[in-house]
Amino acid sequence: AGSAVYIEDSGTSVSRLDVNASAADDVNFVFGYDPASGTDWAGQSFTVNGGAYIDTIKVFLMTIGAPADNVNIAIEADSAGSPSGTPLGSGSIAAASLSGTMTEKTITLSVGTDLVAGTYWVTLKRSGATSTINYYGDRRSTADDYSGGGAATHGNAGWSATSANEWSVELLYTS
């Protein structure tokens, strides 16, 4: 099976928005990298069809080299097709808790986020300066079969869509 992104509504209190990529679809994407190219942030937009309270995010991360800062992860509202820049809820993970192997990590938001129907973004931003030798990777899928949003990167020219890529992320929410 390829990638599947869906809203699961099982009638229970906890549901999820999930990107599941088969191994054949996986690619590693870097962020927090080169000041010259400006690939400093990563994001994935998603659509909420009804109300949701999000307090946990799962994402695949790895280090390249030896970054010593944190990865900040946030939920942001959509602003004209890009993240707004204002976190609605956020959390972080220290580079020291990551390795050179792509691993799924669970981040609990410091403040849960109530969302109404609309488009939102999950963003990954490093807390330190970009580096050509010490940076981060996240997992993407090349299947591009999620119609409710897409992946983007932020660089010197602002946010831009990354065609045919979806970020492997899982949002746990209560409806």
Side-chain angles (χ1 to χ4, degrees), residues 34-60:
D34 182 7
S37 69
T39 307
D40 51 0
W41 304 337
Q44 171 70 43
S45 62
F46 64 96
T47 302
V48 173
N49 296 322
Y53 176 83
I54 296 176
D55 62 0
T56 306
I57 299 172
K58 291 184 179 183
V59 63
F60 285 84

